């Protein structure tokens, strides 16, 4: 966890605050003592890649960096026991030598496992849930300092809610993840005329293991990305050190994209041609690599994000409405809309609870006011029963959240039971969950 000049900042720079104190326990026992004894509010960030102010606090921040590594592996059950603050890039390097890998991943590998799970981080693919859906069990340190093991058999209620709980039920110290034997993926990018893409969308999401697309609203083509398992040759896997460096390295196309975002702030007239240009020039390279090297891409241009999950069948319609509204309102943005799919699950606060979903992500350059864009899109998402990604920006009230999440009140009741004094709340979470 990075604190500079006493201040904590998230990845996009949208959340900055000075905690009253920072502590960095090295063991579960130290952590238990710290949580029990600390007066006032306590939050425990992952790697700060959430856009929402989940980690903000006027109280104490707990640095979990000591909780990293592979603590065990059960080949019969194909379950790996992982310390909760292990970064995803590091996890891949621990699992691969054992011959195992995560079943799916999102667009980056910078997050900690605990942070990714606490917000329901997901990739794409109709057969795959979020990372939270692959949690077999976990150890949770409660506000009292007591540690409980949670699985479908032990503390099943906490298991049902705690696999996506924004750190509101306690600190996960160790997570048992369902994994699978290592695999290689072939990644393809290709352009598709947007009208034709919508006609073929169901076929594309079904025929490919992982299918997503990027659509600049002013372009009439979408950049599609498919990942499929392959036995083709892959280069030797990268070392952990290379994986760490790779995620932060700015490639030539990102320099151009950064420049364009700066330019658009002063010359919005360039938006349409630049969107068309980006669509045409986005990387079309094909490659075959081990799975954990294919899913993530470096993201070096800072932005803020909003994302909603809508019922899968409505995905194309909602996306088209969003693009139309952006064009009509002449909103300036250099970022494409992103379309992905996620399988249904049974996790109380999951955007995918009880329904297969399409997710639509809207990004805006970090130095630009995101409110016009996000406000416009959020109204459309809400009209279609959308549920917000918990790590991204939304403005829903408690009542509005309860309307969309069938288990919302059950979650709040369990939170009150586990943390009656509200130790794990903050000013943003209190009105929603307090
Ligand atoms: C460039 C970029 C790309 C992204 N791509 C995707 C994507 O492809 N798919 C997607 O779904 N999301 C994506 N996200 C969102 C991101 O995955 C989530 O916001 C995730 O939570 C960030 O993880 P983190 O480790 O940085 O956690 P943080 O943002 O630091 O924390 C998030 C929450 O997790 C809680 N937490 C952390 N550790 C624990 C623990 N041990 N026990 C309990 N609670 C804990 C914190 O208290 C906090 O509430 C992206 C974000 C960025 C910036």
């Amino acid at each position: 966890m990075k604190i500079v000049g006493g201040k904590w900042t998230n990845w996009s720079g949208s959340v900055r605050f000075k905690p009253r104190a920072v502590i960095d326990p090295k063991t579960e026992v130290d952590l238990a003592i710290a949580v029990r004894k600390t007066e006032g509010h306590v939050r425990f960030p992952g790697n700060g890649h959430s856009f929402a102010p989940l980690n903000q606090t006027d109280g104490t921040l707990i640095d979990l960096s000591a909780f990293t590594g592979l603590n065990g592996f059960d080949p019969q059950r194909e379950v790996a026991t992982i310390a909760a603050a292990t970064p995803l890039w590091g996890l891949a390097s621990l699992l691969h030598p054992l011959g195992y890998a995560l079943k799916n991943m999102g667009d980056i590998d910078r997050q900690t496992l605990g942070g990714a799970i606490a917000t329901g981080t997901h990739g794409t693919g109709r057969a795959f849930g979020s990372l939270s859906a692959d949690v077999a069990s976990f150890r949770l340190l409660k506000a009292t300092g007591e540690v409980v093991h949670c699985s479908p058999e032990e503390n099943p209620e906490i298991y049902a809610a705690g696999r996506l709980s924004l750190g509101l039920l306690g600190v996960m110290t160790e997570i048992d993840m369902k994994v699978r034997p290592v695999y290689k993926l072939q990644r393809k990018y290709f352009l598709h005329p947007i009208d034709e893409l919508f006609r073929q969308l169901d076929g594309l999401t079904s025929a490919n293991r992982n299918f997503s697309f990027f659509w600049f609203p002013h372009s009439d083509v979408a950049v599609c990305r498919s990942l499929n398992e392959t036995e083709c040759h892959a280069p030797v896997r990268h070392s952990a050190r290379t994986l760490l460096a790779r995620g932060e390295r700015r490639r030539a196309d990102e320099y151009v994209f950064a420049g364009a975002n700066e330019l658009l702030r002063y010359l919005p007239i360039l938006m349409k041609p630049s969107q068309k240009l980006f669509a045409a020039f986005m990387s079309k390279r094909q490659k075959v690599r081990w799975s954990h090297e294919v899913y993530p891409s470096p993201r070096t241009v800072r932005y803020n994000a909003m994302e909603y999950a809508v019922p899968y069948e409505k995905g194309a319609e909602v996306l088209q409405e969003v693009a139309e509204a952006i064009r009509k309102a002449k909103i300036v943005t250099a970022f494409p809309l992103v379309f992905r799919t996620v399988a249904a699950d049974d996790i109380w606060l999951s955007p995918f609870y009880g329904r297969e979903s399409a997710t639509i992500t809207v990004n805006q350059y970090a130095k630009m006011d995101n409110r016009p864009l996000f406000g416009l899109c959020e109204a459309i998402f809400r009209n279609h029963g959308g549920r917000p990604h918990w790590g991204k920006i939304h403005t829903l009230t408690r009542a509005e959240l309860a309307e969309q999440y069938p288990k919302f009140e059950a979650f709040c009741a369990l939170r009150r039971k586990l943390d009656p004094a509200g130790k794990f709340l903050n000013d943003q979470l209190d009105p929603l969950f307090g």
Side-chain angles (χ1 to χ4, degrees):
M1 187 171 75
K2 252 195 246 151
I3 301 257
V4 182
K7 270 199 178 156
W8 186 92
T9 309
N10 70 341
W11 178 83
S12 73
S14 62
V15 182
R16 292 166 199 266
F17 63 92
K18 235 181 178 156
R20 198 178 61 213
V22 180
I23 48 176
D24 59 344
K26 303 289 184 233
T27 65
E28 198 177 69
V29 173
D30 290 347
L31 176 65
I33 295 169
V35 167
R36 186 159 50 83
K37 283 196 170 163
T38 304
E39 304 271 325
H41 290 134
V42 173
R43 294 299 292 161
F44 30 92
N47 197 26
H49 275 55
S50 291
F51 305 92
L54 302 173
N55 294 313
Q56 188 151 356
T57 185
D58 53 1
T60 302
L61 270 193
I62 300 186
D63 181 349
L64 294 174
S65 347
F67 293 77
T68 57
L70 184 67
N71 294 352
F73 182 65
D74 180 342
Q76 252 86 51
R77 291 168 58 227
E78 299 195 320
V79 167
T81 301
I82 300 148
T86 307
L88 297 184
W89 59 264
L91 175 56
S93 304
L94 293 168
L95 289 176
H96 197 94
L98 297 174
Y100 283 84
L102 291 176
K103 295 177 181 181
N104 202 11
M105 288 173 73
D107 276 358
I108 56 164
D109 59 5
R110 306 290 97 183
Q111 311 95 324
T112 62
L113 183 64
I117 284 168
T119 56
T121 293
H122 62 89
T124 188
R126 294 185 67 178
F128 303 96
S130 70
L131 284 173
S132 307
D134 286 332
V135 174
S137 55
F138 56 92
R139 282 171 75 79
L140 184 80
L141 194 146
K142 299 196 287 183
T144 52
E146 183 199 349
V147 178
V148 286
H149 189 253
C150 309
S151 70
E153 295 78 35
E154 280 175 273
N155 299 299
E157 236 194 357
I158 308 182
Y159 173 74
R163 284 173 288 160
L164 195 175
S165 50
L166 313 174
L168 287 169
L169 304 184
V171 190
M172 284 184 285
T173 56
E174 201 173 77
I175 300 164
D176 294 319
M177 284 298 282
K178 297 176 198 164
V179 292
R180 56 151 288 176
V182 286
Y183 55 107
K184 287 175 276 185
L185 290 173
Q186 177 166 57
R187 187 189 77 183
K188 284 186 184 164
Y189 280 108
F190 51 97
L191 290 182
H192 228 309
I194 195 72
D195 294 340
E196 202 181 309
L197 171 61
F198 284 123
R199 279 196 293 276
Q200 294 178 13
L201 188 56
D202 210 39
L204 286 162
T205 57
S206 308
N208 291 289
R209 182 187 193 275
N210 310 94
F211 179 81
S212 57
F213 68 89
F214 304 84
W215 182 21
F216 296 93
H218 288 280
S219 168
D220 46 18
V221 291
V223 181
C224 301
R225 177 177 131 128
S226 67
L227 310 180
N228 287 295
E229 278 186 59
T230 177
E231 288 304 322
C232 292
H233 169 77
V236 176
R237 75 182 169 94
H238 293 308
S239 66
R241 185 196 282 241
T242 307
L243 287 179
L244 169 62
R246 196 180 85 126
E248 308 296 332
R249 196 174 303 134
R250 183 168 275 192
R251 299 168 312 207
D253 53 349
E254 290 239 326
Y255 275 107
V256 175
F257 189 54
N261 272 284
E262 276 300 310
L263 207 62
L264 281 188
R265 291 168 68 201
Y266 307 103
L267 286 170
I269 191 151
L270 293 179
M271 179 179 59
K272 280 189 206 175
S274 65
Q275 283 199 3
K276 288 184 177 162
L277 214 66
F278 284 136
F281 284 102
M282 261 177 95
S283 168
K284 311 288 179 325
R285 279 169 303 162
Q286 285 192 27
K287 67 177 184 185
V288 173
R289 294 272 191 287
W290 293 103
S291 61
H292 64 274
E293 296 181 3
V294 174
Y295 295 118
S297 306
R299 297 276 184 249
T300 61
V301 180
R302 307 279 150 151
Y303 58 84
N304 283 299
M306 164 177 280
E307 179 182 301
Y308 271 70
V310 297
Y312 172 78
E313 321 70 63
K314 284 191 169 190
E317 178 196 342
V318 177
L319 181 62
Q320 289 175 88
E321 203 178 320
V322 165
E324 176 65 29
I326 292 174
R327 285 194 297 266
K328 222 165 151 187
K330 298 189 168 57
I331 304 263
V332 176
T333 177
F335 282 81
L337 301 165
V338 187
F339 178 96
R340 293 183 278 186
T341 59
V342 188
D345 64 37
D346 59 355
I347 305 167
W348 288 5
L349 272 197
S350 169
F352 322 112
Y353 180 85
R355 71 185 195 197
E356 185 185 7
S357 304
T359 66
I360 297 166
T361 316
V362 188
N363 299 323
Q364 181 58 293
Y365 189 41
K367 291 187 195 166
M368 285 168 78
D369 182 3
N370 56 53
R371 286 169 300 184
L373 176 61
F374 289 177
L376 184 81
C377 298
E378 190 167 46
I380 298 169
F381 293 139
R382 289 193 52 201
N383 276 343
H384 292 278
R387 297 173 181 161
H389 185 306
W390 292 104
K392 303 190 181 181
I393 292 170
H394 74 87
T395 65
L396 298 200
T397 62
R398 182 181 177 130
E400 289 161 350
L401 288 166
E403 247 175 62
Q404 295 309 330
Y405 289 85
K407 288 286 197 177
F408 191 82
E409 289 306 339
F411 180 90
C412 292
L414 180 64
R415 191 211 63 75
R416 272 194 305 277
K417 192 168 130 192
L418 295 178
D419 180 20
K423 187 172 256 186
F424 298 137
L425 290 171
N426 66 16
D427 287 350
Q428 287 71 33
L429 295 167
D430 195 0
L432 304 180
F433 297 97

